Amino acid sequence: MYQEGQVYLGTSRHPDDSINNPEYLQLKLANRHGLITGATGTGKTVSLQILTEGFSRAGVPVFCADVKGDLSGLSMAGESKDFLEARAETIGFAEAYDYQSFPTVFWDLFGEQGHPVRTTISDMGPLLLARLLELNATQEGVLNIAFKIADEEGLLLLDLKDLQSLLSNLAERAQEISGRYGNVTKASVGAIQRQLLVLEQQGAENFFGEPALAITDLLRTAPDGRGLVHILAADKLMMAPRLYATFLLWLLSELFEQLPEVGNPDKPRLVFFFDEAHLLFDEAPKILLTKVEQVVKLIRSKGVGVFFVTQNPLDVPDSVLAQLGNRVQHALRAYTPRERKAVKTAADTFRPNPEFDAFEVITNLGVGEALVSTLMKKGVPSIVQRTLMRPPSSRMAPITPQERKTIIQNSPVFGQYDETVDRESAHEILKKRAEDLLQKEQKKRELEDEEREEGGRMRRSRTGFTLPDFDGDDEDGRSTSSRRRRTYRDDRPTKRSRSKTASKPRRRSSNRQTVTEAAMKSVVRSVSTQLGRALVRGILGSLKRGF
């Protein structure tokens, strides 16, 4: 059953239940992508499992997004079960059937169930990041300015806090930067920061950082020549659709940009499986859908195959569905009008088989049974066949946490990505700049305070300002405390007096008089005047009588 250049899927049978011919997927045409669909419990995850095993045996690395944890069983050998043995006997696979594990590397964006997956903000770039955050043209322009400033000032953008710190710095320097690159408003910066906050709350701080994942590590093979099976723990990741979209957008873009053109190789360089693809397409940003469509169309020449696994063919956009040449269709139910439409869509995409009606067969397929149509020479689809899928060689159940831990510790990349590296980057540099600026301002304020204090001492020394240590009367009969108060007031001119010119000095407080004093002086002046007049009249009268 195992043949060079082919992946054995199962054996087809005639409508009378007689066994027909083995069904294969051609490795040379696996980069034309594929689709596995079927209702829950019909066996589509097992089909993904046997395809992965076949690629790994052929020396092709595989990357799988594991939503339910079932695919972790690929790392352990299967256990003998009666229904597996019976299926192998039925399809004539008993002699070749064996149980074995496959070389597996576990990954996890959160670093909990596998090696962390990271990339840097710089690697993501402003264009992809702006579209992922769904920024408008103005906000995208501000983000591009931020990356430009980072390049000019040697600021590394590695993790999320680097970009957040740079944007805050941009808002503070908006007037300076706007003169060089165009208007930068705090409103635009705030909008970007809010979108980054959404990403951060979904766990993006775990994804952005160092050491960044090297794409070449996904293309490795095991020492025995089998392809490594890379399994991404996606159960928690699916609860953060924006982060999942970010990861896929980056990964597909990196593969497309880094891998060289290879045309039509004898076997793929890498195969991707996206399990539960409807979760991806349901809430994916428009940019991700556009990018997936672009990659599916163009990445074939890079030697990469992409397979989507979902419940309903309608879950996949038509623009993507048209690019998927290899099909495995498990049973679908037709209880509602939408389900009947899905069954008809699936049946119409197959090359018809004159022996049966695909529409009727799809609703009657058993568990582990599927309609299979793969690409033949020159890329022509084969006639659809009703196929009994072969039993998997690896375990059909999730592994235990202890088994996962052991596999991670024995991984070929163990220790390479597990420890976070937080080297000096934009956040640290900008923080240090802010602290230095704060210290300079503090020192400047202290110098200004010292200068004011020194100026005050010099003014007090020129005006003879003194503060006696005791209270008493001076030679004028005024208390020293009163004089001290007057002197203190004289040495502290008011704001109003400072605004006047020097030619109009302020009246001293010692020349002022109270109401009582003014009244007393008036009385004295009146008495003195009357007494003086009386004396004058007396003297003049005496002189007059003498004559």
Side-chain angles (χ1 to χ4, degrees), residues 37 42 85 95 108 111 116 128 132 140 146 183 206 214 227 290 362 416 420 439 456 525 544:
T37 54
T42 57
E85 303 288 346
E95 293 183 4
D108 185 0
L128 289 181
L132 177 70
E140 182 177 346
N183 193 27
N206 298 298
T290 304
I362 288 176
Q416 186 174 340
T420 304
Q439 291 177 359
R525 282 195 302 270
K544 186 176 181 181

Side-chain angles (χ1 to χ4, degrees), residues 119 193 242 289 332 364 398 442-443 466 468 481 483 485 541:
T119 188
Q193 293 280 40
R242 181 64 63 88
L289 298 180
L332 290 175
N364 295 305
Q442 181 68 23
K443 189 175 182 180
T466 56
S481 60
R483 184 178 64 185
R485 287 193 297 271

Side-chain angles (χ1 to χ4, degrees), residues 475-513:
E475 64 274 14
D476 298 329
R478 296 191 301 270
S479 67
T480 55
S481 60
S482 299
R483 184 178 64 185
R484 182 170 61 213
R485 287 193 297 271
R486 289 197 301 274
T487 305
Y488 180 75
R489 286 194 297 269
D490 292 345
D491 285 342
R492 292 176 60 86
T494 64
K495 180 177 181 182
R496 182 179 178 184
S497 67
R498 287 195 301 268
S499 65
K500 296 181 179 180
T501 62
S503 62
K504 295 181 180 181
R506 176 187 168 198
R507 293 183 59 188
R508 303 180 67 84
S509 61
S510 59
N511 293 331
R512 294 179 181 175
Q513 56 186 359

Side-chain angles (χ1 to χ4, degrees), residues 163-184:
L163 182 56
Q164 291 169 331
S165 298
L166 179 60
L167 288 169
S168 298
N169 182 262
L170 211 65
E172 295 171 359
R173 301 164 55 192
Q175 187 174 1
E176 168 202 344
I177 294 171
S178 296
R180 286 189 291 163
Y181 300 109
N183 193 27
V184 175

Side-chain angles (χ1 to χ4, degrees), residues 291-315:
K291 196 67 179 180
V292 169
E293 180 181 351
Q294 177 189 12
V295 169
V296 168
K297 288 180 177 179
L298 301 178
I299 207 171
R300 176 188 62 79
S301 61
K302 307 279 186 174
V304 176
V306 180
F307 284 71
F308 295 98
V309 184
T310 187
Q311 296 182 8
N312 194 318
L314 298 179
D315 296 332

